[in-house]
Amino acid sequence: MSSTALNGHASGAKSRIGTKEASLKEASLKKEENFVGDEITDHNRWRLQDIRGCQTWHYLADDEQLKAWPQTIADRYHLGLDLDLPTLPKAHTPRQAVHNALTFFSKLQLEPGNWACEYGGPMFLLPGIVVSWYASETPIPEPYRIEIKRYLFARQNPEDGGWGLHIEGESTVFGTVMTYVVLRICGASAEDPRMVKGRGKLHELGGAVKGPHWAKFWLSVLGIADWDIVNPMPPELWLLPDWTPISPWRWWIHMRQVFLPMSFVWSRKFSVPVNPLILELREELFTQPHSSVDFASHRNTIAPTDNYHPKSFLLHMLNFILVYIWIPVFRTKSIVKKAEAWAYRLVQYEDANTDFANLAPVNAPLNLLACYVHDGPDSYSVKRHRERLPEYMWVKDEGMLTNGTNGLQTWDTSFAIQAVVEAGLAEDPAWRPMLTRALEFLDDQQIRENCVDQEICYRHQRKGAWAFSTRTQGYTVTDCTSEALKSVILLQRMPGYPHVVSDERLRDGIDTLLSMQNRSGGFASYEPIRGSQYLEYLNAAEVFGRIMIEYDYPECTTAVLTALSLFSEYDPTYRAQDVAKVKAGAVRYIRDSQRPDGSWYGSWGICFTYAGMFALESLASVGENHGNSERVRRACQFFVGKQKPDGGWGESYRSCEIAEYVQHKESQVVNTCWALLGLMEAEYPGDDKVIEKGIKLVIERQKDKGEWAQEGIEGVFNKSCMISYPNYKYIFPIKALGMYAKKFGDQPLI
């Protein structure tokens, strides 16, 4: 295997990852054999470092380092190693099950006070990082290379050899071609039987020319495809006046922050210099000789498996105009220079406002690439990106993957606090130290200032908010801010907990939340809705739906509504009229968005079960329940009608894709708890044992150390891509079991 494939296209490049273990002695790697004879690192040498929520995995090559930095229970748990924990007494009552769960889950809390976990699922995230490393001459550390290969082979479809958009999805061109490329960059042989099978599936699907827009972009960056295959992404769009209906500032934050560096790189037509690996891939990924491919004719070619959101007629017309009129006739050098300069300035704003952590692992590697092209390989911007990208990497028993953000630190920690409070155990001395550390973490993670030049770089106010992951990442999200704010208030008003977040800072959070309501009364995620739904006609991503603008979400709206209600009890005079008006609008949206069958569509969890839980919590917060509300009775009947014979609930991710409830083949603990929480919030009468049967299933599924097994994937975004929330299997059972014990008593059920 040549150093070219492992370490980038330029010889003699120095490591830019920035960790001591980036260059390791071969002897430190454990050449064990797994079931297919692959290399595997010694998992006893991996450590998870958490500095104020900044999480990075480190491989310790030196035995002295091993002694100085012992592995924690959390490390071993995430790596799938034996924990050597005692077997707990079998739980017979809900409270006993909660105690066992907390006994286990508390051991996973990290030093700063947060919980960590895998946030994987999408298969298109890892390729972006690996390709950007390769293109920017960033060597891939040997432990990374080995574990990335292990993970990708572990997630190969055993039936057809391909890879999907996400880990539970069918094989697609996007998933298969990009995973194949990453495996080759990481040293996999083209003659490996698994690679042969994957290549066969890719050719069966039509080859790389049938990939979606993002695949064609990355293949062009690598020089495997010509840039003619990529539909135009002119940075000139950023020069449009803000009042224009299609101006990028109106787009959903993820879409515009991805398009921004993509448009810059597209305009520069940057490609990796041709090397032996690129030449080999050119002949492996297409169904005909590379030299005979008419790349321009395949700009709109896409496999049916990848075409979740087909291009509209309007988008086809726009692309035609750009290709045949704008670019050859009107796109002058002066316009290009001005557009590239402004686009790159906006990239710099994104880097500055996040200290190069960036929004997510799609725009982060793209920003690295833009900085590499603009500033050069030895620039500060490139160096800092190389230091930050490992925060997105996660190691588990299967290998190394890329998380959907740089963690779920604030999100999971907030929910964990609320679950313990709901279980009535927050004042129990056994759990107070755990919760105090969690509270102190939320104190540390609140965002204290707005972005630099926020109006110029189109960012919404964020002072007083909380991000999904960390304060440094710095993007406020309505539900993350709301859940963190609730958690802080719940603990700080209890005796024995420190008052670490001042009333002034809580008010800052409320100010930001009040600024984010949409005309419908509902709330979106990162910002209020800025553009029309007609912008979806310009959705060029093809593999995702509802990606161009923000939307109202029952989940986010409920989080804000319940946070405002709790804050009004705590601080009843602050902006009382504004709070009341926003709450009334939020309730109106929840009522209006209910479907005729009693359900709500969920956009961040699977799917109707997830949204229904939140919506019923919203209605309960304003006094609507099964006894006095017809809409609540319809929602309860929807849930009851989906209960499985074993007492549980199980919803397939297919619900998200087709917007109709699809039963999972088995009951899922997390789905079951969501349904139970919704029913209990609605005060559904327990005389028919519906709730009791569900609680029994949750207790019966608990394992002997207090944990629950990982079951089906829990989360979703943009309708078609699923993502994992592994800590949900602790948080929501604790909450559901605790709520049941408070409402119905802590009697033996098994």
Side-chain angles (χ1 to χ4, degrees):
M1 183 63 220
S2 70
S3 60
T4 299
L6 294 180
N7 295 329
H9 56 271
S11 62
K14 296 179 181 178
S15 171
R16 309 304 207 283
I17 294 291
T19 55
K20 186 175 181 179
E21 65 277 13
S23 120
L24 291 164
K25 297 177 183 177
E26 238 177 78
S28 73
L29 296 174
K30 194 173 180 183
K31 302 284 186 176
E32 289 185 354
E33 301 291 315
N34 67 16
F35 70 101
V36 290
D38 288 328
E39 293 173 313
I40 177 173
T41 64
D42 182 352
H43 279 202
N44 291 294
R45 290 181 175 271
W46 285 100
R47 302 291 187 272
L48 178 62
Q49 184 180 65
D50 187 342
I51 301 175
R52 296 183 68 184
C54 173
Q55 299 169 172
T56 49
W57 282 97
H58 299 260
Y59 190 82
L60 306 185
D62 187 272
D63 288 343
E64 291 302 314
Q65 290 179 309
L66 290 176
K67 294 178 184 177
W69 188 355
Q71 233 172 12
T72 66
I73 290 175
D75 292 340
R76 297 185 66 80
Y77 169 77
H78 295 306
L79 292 164
L81 299 174
D82 181 60
L83 302 182
D84 194 27
L85 294 175
T87 298
L88 300 175
K90 177 65 179 175
H92 298 283
T93 73
R95 280 282 171 89
Q96 289 171 355
V98 168
H99 182 273
N100 286 355
L102 283 173
T103 299
F104 184 86
F105 191 53
S106 63
K107 291 179 171 61
L108 305 184
Q109 188 179 29
L110 302 181
E111 186 60 32
N114 63 291
W115 279 264
C117 67
E118 166 196 356
Y119 189 43
M123 294 298 293
F124 64 90
L125 302 176
L126 182 57
I129 288 182
V130 173
V131 170
S132 72
W133 278 338
Y134 188 79
S136 64
E137 307 174 77
T138 305
I140 303 173
E142 186 75 352
Y144 279 37
R145 180 189 69 80
I146 290 173
E147 293 298 334
I148 286 170
K149 282 204 309 177
R150 288 188 62 245
Y151 179 76
L152 295 179
F153 279 135
R155 286 299 175 177
Q156 187 172 25
N157 188 321
E159 296 178 0
D160 61 29
W163 290 267
L165 181 66
H166 57 87
I167 58 175
E168 293 189 8
E170 65 176 343
S171 295
T172 63
V173 174
F174 192 15
T176 302
V177 71
M178 294 312 302
T179 301
Y180 185 97
V181 167
V182 170
L183 284 166
R184 292 288 276 122
I185 289 173
C186 289
S189 168
E191 302 311 312
D192 184 308
R194 296 162 299 180
M195 298 292 282
V196 172
K197 190 173 183 180
R199 194 162 63 245
K201 182 59 180 178
L202 175 61
H203 289 189
E204 177 190 320
L205 292 170
V209 296
K210 290 200 172 183
H213 184 265
W214 288 10
K216 289 169 177 169
F217 172 87
W218 284 119
L219 293 176
S220 299
V221 166
L222 287 169
I224 295 169
D226 293 351
W227 277 105
D228 287 344
I229 201 173
V230 182
N231 271 309
M233 294 179 284
E236 296 91 285
L237 281 173
W238 290 98
L239 300 179
L240 290 173
D242 287 350
W243 55 262
T244 57
I246 65 170
S247 179
W249 77 275
R250 299 181 183 277
W251 303 356
W252 185 45
I253 186 68
H254 280 277
M255 189 60 183
R256 71 174 186 263
Q257 292 294 19
V258 168
F259 172 78
L260 176 63
M262 257 190 182
S263 68
F264 178 83
V265 174
W266 172 87
S267 188
R268 291 291 181 95
K269 299 295 190 293
F270 168 82
S271 292
V272 170
V274 176
N275 60 49
L277 177 62
I278 299 303
L279 290 175
E280 291 170 10
L281 285 167
R282 284 180 175 182
E283 300 308 321
E284 293 167 21
L285 301 181
F286 303 100
T287 59
Q288 64 190 88
H290 178 271
S291 59
S292 68
V293 178
D294 179 2
F295 287 100
S297 70
H298 289 291
R299 279 195 302 268
N300 297 304
T301 302
I302 185 168
T305 52
D306 294 67
N307 204 16
Y308 180 77
H309 191 283
K311 293 187 187 75
S312 67
F313 175 78
L314 178 62
L315 184 57
H316 279 298
M317 287 297 299
L318 179 60
N319 285 331
F320 180 90
I321 292 169
L322 290 172
V323 170
Y324 296 106
I325 301 175
W326 173 254
I327 293 173
V329 179
F330 297 106
R331 195 173 192 252
T332 64
K333 289 183 179 179
S334 61
I335 291 176
V336 171
K337 183 178 180 181
K338 183 177 181 181
E340 287 181 355
W342 179 234
Y344 190 71
R345 183 72 185 101
L346 291 174
V347 168
Q348 291 177 310
Y349 272 119
E350 163 71 353
D351 288 344
N353 282 316
T354 63
D355 189 17
F356 294 85
N358 298 133
L359 173 62
V362 180
N363 80 311
L366 287 166
N367 276 24
L368 164 61
L369 195 56
C371 290
Y372 176 85
V373 172
H374 187 277
D375 298 340
D378 298 318
S379 62
Y380 172 79
S381 61
V382 170
K383 179 175 180 284
R384 191 66 180 128
H385 273 298
R386 287 165 171 158
E387 293 169 349
R388 297 310 296 259
L389 276 180
E391 294 175 36
Y392 289 106
M393 307 305 289
W394 188 263
V395 188
K396 57 178 295 188
D397 55 341
E398 293 177 317
M400 176 173 272
L401 61 130
T402 296
N403 276 343
T405 60
N406 60 338
L408 305 85
Q409 297 88 316
T410 295
W411 182 249
D412 278 359
T413 301
S414 300
F415 271 147
I417 290 171
Q418 293 177 40
V420 180
V421 171
E422 184 60 55
L425 297 175
E427 296 185 78
D428 187 328
W431 311 118
R432 184 173 290 141
M434 175 188 77
L435 293 177
T436 299
R437 287 167 57 203
L439 173 61
E440 290 169 348
F441 178 78
L442 294 184
D443 164 44
D444 185 54
Q445 294 303 313
Q446 188 182 25
I447 301 168
R448 309 290 183 87
E449 66 288 314
N450 287 320
C451 290
V452 175
D453 294 334
Q454 79 177 24
E455 291 82 11
I456 296 175
C457 57
Y458 307 112
R459 289 287 298 274
H460 194 77
Q461 75 178 69
R462 65 178 190 177
K463 184 180 180 182
W466 278 267
F468 184 73
S469 57
T470 64
R471 173 181 175 179
T472 301
Q473 190 261 4
Y475 275 88
T476 180
V477 191
T478 54
D479 53 358
C480 300
T481 297
S482 299
E483 303 298 352
L485 191 144
K486 284 193 290 184
S487 299
V488 168
I489 294 175
L490 286 170
L491 289 183
Q492 288 192 165
R493 70 181 186 179
M494 287 185 180
Y497 286 95
H499 195 88
V500 291
V501 181
S502 68
D503 289 354
E504 179 183 0
R505 286 168 54 195
L506 291 174
R507 289 178 172 184
D508 287 340
I510 292 298
D511 289 342
T512 292
L513 287 177
L514 292 176
S515 74
M516 300 182 78
Q517 190 171 36
N518 295 313
R519 292 179 181 179
S520 64
F523 285 80
S525 53
Y526 295 89
E527 301 161 334
I529 297 170
R530 295 176 171 184
S532 165
Q533 290 189 35
Y534 290 117
L535 279 171
E536 292 295 349
Y537 286 115
L538 303 183
N539 177 357
E542 297 154 323
V543 295
F544 306 114
R546 302 218 309 176
I547 196 174
M548 289 300 295
I549 64 166
E550 280 278 14
Y551 288 88
D552 294 309
Y553 304 112
E555 308 99 300
C556 296
T557 304
T558 294
V560 177
L561 173 59
T562 53
L564 293 176
S565 296
L566 184 63
F567 177 79
S568 295
E569 297 174 10
Y570 177 81
D571 191 350
T573 62
Y574 184 71
R575 298 188 63 177
Q577 290 185 337
D578 293 332
V579 169
K581 181 180 178 181
V582 169
K583 284 175 59 179
V587 173
R588 183 181 70 250
Y589 163 75
I590 291 293
R591 290 168 176 164
D592 291 346
S593 60
Q594 187 180 27
R595 293 183 165 202
D597 64 1
S599 68
W600 288 265
Y601 178 82
S603 297
W604 301 105
I606 298 173
C607 167
F608 295 96
T609 319
Y610 186 68
M613 170 187 67
F614 281 102
L616 285 170
E617 183 183 4
S618 275
L619 296 175
S621 74
V622 294
E624 288 195 39
N625 57 49
H626 187 273
N628 63 22
S629 170
E630 187 273 335
R631 65 173 58 88
V632 172
R633 286 192 290 272
R634 281 192 290 122
C636 289
Q637 191 54 49
F638 177 85
F639 272 148
V640 172
K642 306 304 181 187
Q643 189 175 31
K644 289 179 173 288
D646 63 4
W649 281 261
E651 187 176 2
S652 167
Y653 73 82
R654 289 282 295 152
S655 296
C656 307
E657 294 177 337
I658 68 173
E660 296 292 340
Y661 191 98
V662 178
Q663 287 280 5
H664 196 285
K665 61 183 179 181
E666 295 176 350
S667 291
Q668 304 288 300
V669 165
V670 172
N671 284 157
T672 298
C673 290
W674 290 343
L676 291 170
L677 286 165
L679 290 170
M680 287 188 284
E681 288 282 7
E683 298 183 18
Y684 181 78
D687 50 7
D688 61 359
K689 305 295 184 181
V690 165
I691 296 175
E692 182 181 311
K693 286 189 291 186
I695 291 292
K696 281 183 179 180
L697 180 134
V698 175
I699 297 175
E700 288 168 350
R701 293 268 183 99
Q702 190 174 35
K703 301 173 81 66
D704 59 10
K705 304 295 191 299
E707 76 277 34
W708 281 271
Q710 182 63 36
E711 298 176 337
I713 203 162
E714 305 91 349
V716 63
F717 59 91
N718 299 124
K719 298 185 72 174
S720 61
C721 196
M722 310 306 135
I723 195 162
S724 301
Y725 288 81
N727 284 335
Y728 280 5
K729 64 179 177 288
Y730 303 108
I731 292 167
F732 287 104
I734 290 169
K735 185 174 183 179
L737 292 165
M739 183 181 289
Y740 181 90
K742 285 202 302 186
K743 285 181 174 290
F744 301 105
D746 191 37
Q747 303 301 316
L749 297 179
I750 61 171

